[in-house]
Amino acid sequence: MSDPSKILEARDVTTGYGNNEIVHQVSLQVNDGESVCIIGPNGAGKSTVLKSLTGYLACWEGEIHLNGEDVTDVSTEDLVGRGLSIVPQGNTMFPQMTVQEHLDMGAWLIDDEEKRENTEWLLDLFPRVEERLDQKVKTMSGGEQQMVSIARALISDPDILVLDEPSLGLAPSLVDTIFELLRTVQDAGLSILMVEQNAVKALKNTDRGYVIEMGSVRFAEESRELLDDDEVQQLYLGG
Ligand code: ADP
């Protein structure tokens, strides 16, 4: 049975690389309008979970549902067409290209009319992007480039934004700016799923969190409860 309030759901997903099983029967869900983080130690399998949810890595067992439909075997490209947009890890910008050209890339699946409408919506949401449409990405700071990466993912007007370590490599002050930006995105009605190494920041800026350890879900709670949990603090938040 599918539940319309669940935008994205993993049911007992098992996957890995070659013969090496990395993720063991992981279940998680992102509800409509919710922001959810996946945290846990380095090498725990967080990015691997994300790869299976976004069609980069096949599920060995289990199911993935997007907007109530079984998308377990759907490609990344088709997932984008069904309302899931991805902000990949690290700098995936093209230095010589302008902000507008990056937005055009993000709009490859939609027609001109939709692109016009979505651009209007996006620039309303992110006025700082509008000021910089003609600027080449190579002249922008790391935080600004991350903003463009998020804008590129939003131009297709997705239901859910999936981010792999949005704060990676950013100065602490810019990390806050990116989380504020994601709050704006959530306030606009989107759901958000992120993997974050910066566990404290992630928990402070999301509704719910999953702690993954050795490829399994160890804790699944509201983020503020995870922040207050002694065991979680000792094990994953540096005491
Ligand atoms: P996390 O995101 O929690 O740091 P990852 O999902 O990146 O963890 O990695 C989990 C495990 O999977 C690690 O042991 C890592 O070495 C292994 N792994 C990650 N990517 C690959 C790959 N492309 N091929 C083989 N093993 C990989």
Side-chain angles (χ1 to χ4, degrees), residues 52-67:
S52 66
L53 284 168
T54 51
Y56 287 113
L57 193 62
C59 277
W60 294 0
E61 283 168 34
E63 288 179 12
I64 295 166
H65 291 240
L66 176 65
N67 279 323

Side-chain angles (χ1 to χ4, degrees), residues 35-61:
S35 65
V36 173
C37 66
I38 301 175
I39 59 168
N42 241 324
K46 303 182 296 296
S47 291
T48 305
V49 169
L50 218 63
K51 281 185 213 162
S52 66
L53 284 168
T54 51
Y56 287 113
L57 193 62
C59 277
W60 294 0
E61 283 168 34

Side-chain angles (χ1 to χ4, degrees), residues 66-115:
L66 176 65
N67 279 323
E69 285 180 35
D70 188 338
V71 294
T72 312
D73 299 316
V74 168
S75 68
T76 306
E77 193 179 310
D78 285 347
L79 289 174
V80 176
R82 292 172 186 233
L84 180 150
S85 264
I86 302 160
V87 181
Q89 189 181 113
N91 191 338
T92 57
M93 302 281 106
F94 296 86
Q96 297 292 346
M97 288 170 64
T98 64
V99 172
Q100 179 67 63
E101 286 166 334
H102 281 83
L103 296 185
D104 291 344
M105 266 191 290
W108 60 287
L109 273 176
I110 55 178
D111 63 31
D112 284 350
E113 173 63 13
E114 217 178 324
K115 183 171 147 188

Side-chain angles (χ1 to χ4, degrees), residues 136-150:
K136 282 189 178 170
V137 157
K138 68 175 180 186
T139 64
M140 302 177 97
S141 71
E144 288 164 350
Q145 291 192 20
Q146 184 63 296
M147 177 174 71
V148 176
S149 182
I150 293 171

